């Protein structure tokens, strides 16, 4: 009898252990391999993990935003794989139906999704700081502080007046949690990539430095939004520089006044005492008056060689300009434009 009981207890223990082992195996399998992220979704989710974030912050964000269904199994897998103590900041794309194992591996690896960084139509440092950090973790205020730090920007060979020329408007891929300093480094690298030997030689042939090309390109860009006309406008200013004629560029006065809503430049504006007043002071202003686009920079480096010294808006309001070789011809063009304005009652 005793032997039979012993056998019975042994069999019960074996069965119980087998059931427990099967249950644990099933639990472990479910915890690691079953879908737990976006189980009822079709689209992916973009997770932003701030710098200095804790695992608690990450798991709370995932659960509260209904990215993960089972918080306990996610936390368990994260603990087993050592992620709870190794959180990496950044931006991560989480596909639908992802298992805890693959999700933790993704986050632990630091395999971020880069963001698209695009900035253009920039006039001031404040504009640049706002637009360049729009999709990044860093704040506009943090980046603006660097832009205005004369000691810092001198490390890159720029001054406060010229530093805007270091930023080449384009679309770049960058990490979301890039620091302000690393972003500066990246933009300086892109600046170096833009200024190839061929472009440097063209600037040298013009007798201009890189900063001077940027300054002139910013004027050309402000004068015309027509990219195909920019080389022609650049040629006018190159001609003026070569004969030591004042540039007399209205956009530089607008910059000097600081009122970008100014529609018409008046004689009173031409008396402003500013190094950006190209009616009062000959040569180029000390720096760009906006962030010149690549098309404007190329327009200067590949300017149209002609004899024009003047231009004014065409009377057809097309956005293009009428060009003239002498002042009398220019005044005739200007009168035609003014007459068209009067007829249209724009002013």
């Amino acid at each position: 009898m005793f032997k039979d009981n012993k056998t019975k207890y042994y069999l019960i223990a074996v069965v119980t252990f087998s059931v427990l082992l099967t249950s644990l195996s099933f639990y472990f399998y479910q915890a690691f391999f079953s879908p737990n992220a976006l189980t009822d979704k079709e689209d992916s989710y973009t997770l932003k993990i701030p710098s200095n974030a804790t695992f608690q912050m990450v798991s709370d964000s995932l659960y509260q935003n209904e990215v993960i269904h089972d918080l306990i199994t996610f936390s368990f897998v994260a603990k087993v794989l050592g992620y709870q103590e190794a959180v990496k900041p950044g931006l991560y794309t989480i596909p639908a139906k992802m298992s805890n194992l693959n999700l933790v591996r993704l986050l632990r690896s630091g395999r971020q999704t880069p963001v698209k960084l695009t900035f253009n139509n920039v006039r001031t440092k404040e504009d640049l700081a706002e637009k360049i950090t729009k999709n990044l973790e860093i704040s506009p205020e943090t980046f603006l502080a660097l832009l205005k730090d004369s000691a810092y920007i001198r490390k890159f060979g720029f001054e406060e007046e010229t530093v805007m020329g270091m930023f080449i408007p384009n679309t770049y891929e960058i990490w979301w949690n890039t620091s302000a300093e690393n972003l500066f480094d990246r933009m300086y690298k892109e600046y170096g990539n833009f200024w190839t030997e061929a472009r440097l030689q063209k600037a040298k042939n013009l007798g201009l430095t890189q900063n001077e090309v940027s300054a002139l390109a910013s004027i050309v860009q402000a004068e015309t939004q027509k990219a195909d006309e920019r080389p022609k406008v650049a040629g006018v200013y190159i001609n003026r520089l070569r004969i030591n004629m004042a540039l007399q560029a209205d956009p530089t006065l607008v910059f000097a006044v600081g009122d970008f809503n100014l529609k018409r430049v008046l004689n009173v504006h031409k008396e402003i005492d500013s190094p950006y007043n190209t009616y009062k002071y000959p040569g180029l202003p000390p720096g760009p008056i906006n962030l010149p686009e690549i098309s404007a920079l190329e327009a200067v480096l590949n300017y149209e060689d002609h004899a024009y010294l003047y231009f004014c808006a065409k009377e057809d309001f097309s956005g293009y300009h009428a060009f003239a070789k002498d002042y009398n011809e220019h005044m005739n063009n200007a009168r035609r434009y003014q007459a068209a304005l009067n007829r249209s009652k724009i002013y």
Side-chain angles (χ1 to χ4, degrees):
M1 177 67 71
F2 178 75
K3 185 175 181 181
D4 290 342
N5 287 338
K6 186 175 181 181
T7 301
K8 181 172 70 174
Y9 291 143
Y10 175 77
L11 290 173
I12 291 173
V14 169
V15 170
T16 302
F17 177 77
S18 298
V19 170
L20 287 174
L21 183 62
T22 301
S23 298
L24 283 173
S25 299
F26 180 74
Y27 176 81
F28 272 88
Y29 181 86
Q30 290 286 97
F32 276 82
F33 300 105
S34 292
N36 188 39
L38 305 171
T39 55
D40 57 347
K41 307 289 184 182
E42 296 298 328
D43 297 327
S44 60
Y45 178 82
T46 299
L47 173 68
K48 294 177 180 177
I49 302 179
S51 299
N52 302 317
T54 63
F55 174 74
Q56 187 68 51
M57 293 168 62
V58 174
S59 58
D60 285 349
S61 175
L62 289 171
Y63 189 67
Q64 291 168 10
N65 287 290
E66 300 181 347
V67 179
I68 56 175
H69 174 70
D70 189 333
L71 178 60
I72 294 175
T73 58
F74 171 76
S75 299
F76 172 71
V77 173
K79 183 65 176 178
V80 171
L81 296 184
Y83 175 65
Q84 292 191 8
E85 296 77 30
V87 173
K88 294 182 174 66
L91 182 146
Y92 300 87
T93 300
I94 302 173
K97 313 296 189 297
M98 200 175 205
S99 68
N100 284 325
L101 177 61
N102 288 333
L103 176 54
V104 172
R105 280 176 172 173
L106 169 66
L107 300 180
R108 189 184 64 174
S109 71
R111 194 166 64 249
Q112 295 188 53
T113 300
V115 298
K116 299 287 186 182
L117 179 65
T118 301
F119 53 93
N120 50 30
N121 297 320
V122 174
R123 280 175 166 163
T124 65
K125 292 177 182 177
E126 287 76 12
D127 286 343
L128 176 59
E130 190 71 35
K131 291 182 177 181
I132 204 169
T133 63
K134 183 178 180 181
N135 295 320
L136 302 179
E137 181 184 23
I138 56 177
S139 68
E141 294 76 19
T142 299
F143 196 74
L144 182 60
L146 287 186
L147 279 172
K148 292 184 174 182
D149 187 336
S150 56
Y152 182 79
I153 60 182
R154 283 195 192 106
K155 295 191 298 183
F156 298 89
F158 292 90
E159 299 294 334
E160 288 186 63
E161 298 81 8
T162 60
V163 67
M164 290 282 280
M166 191 187 90
F167 298 84
I168 308 295
N170 210 335
T171 298
Y172 305 97
E173 284 195 343
I174 200 161
W175 303 127
W176 171 76
N177 62 319
T178 296
S179 68
E181 291 79 8
N182 285 343
L183 179 55
F184 229 92
D185 290 340
R186 171 66 183 278
M187 291 299 100
Y188 182 65
K189 178 182 178 181
E190 297 295 343
Y191 175 80
N193 291 339
F194 174 81
W195 282 103
T196 61
E197 286 299 323
R199 289 188 174 117
L200 287 171
Q201 186 58 52
K202 287 179 179 179
K204 185 177 180 181
N205 293 342
L206 283 170
L208 300 176
T209 65
Q210 292 158 264
N211 288 331
E212 288 171 334
V213 169
S214 292
L216 182 51
S218 72
I219 296 173
V220 171
Q221 177 169 293
E223 290 284 17
T224 178
Q225 294 301 308
K226 305 295 186 181
D228 59 337
E229 189 184 50
R230 285 175 176 172
K232 197 169 188 176
V233 172
V236 170
Y237 286 118
I238 293 293
N239 289 342
R240 290 184 181 183
L241 286 171
R242 284 175 174 169
I243 62 173
N244 295 317
M245 177 181 173
L247 295 184
Q248 298 182 348
D250 287 357
T252 63
L253 285 184
V254 173
F255 184 86
V257 172
D259 180 5
F260 296 108
N261 293 317
L262 188 65
K263 298 299 182 183
R264 298 188 70 180
V265 171
L266 306 174
N267 287 331
V268 65
H269 299 130
K270 297 176 183 178
E271 298 304 318
I272 293 173
D273 189 17
S274 166
Y276 290 90
N277 184 347
T278 55
Y279 280 85
K280 194 176 186 71
Y281 294 99
L284 290 162
I289 59 173
N290 56 49
L291 212 60
E293 300 167 0
I294 290 177
S295 66
L297 293 165
E298 292 285 17
V300 172
L301 295 174
N302 302 283
Y303 71 97
E304 187 175 318
D305 189 8
H306 53 60
Y308 297 124
L309 287 172
Y310 304 93
F311 63 95
C312 74
K314 278 188 171 182
E315 68 272 19
D316 61 3
F317 305 120
S318 62
Y320 284 94
H321 295 79
F323 293 80
K325 297 177 182 179
D326 59 61
Y327 189 70
N328 287 334
E329 184 184 0
H330 171 61
M331 289 308 297
N332 289 334
N333 291 335
R335 279 190 285 269
R336 280 194 292 271
Y337 178 65
Q338 188 61 51
L341 282 178
N342 293 336
R343 289 193 300 273
S344 67
K345 297 181 180 179
I346 291 179
Y347 291 97

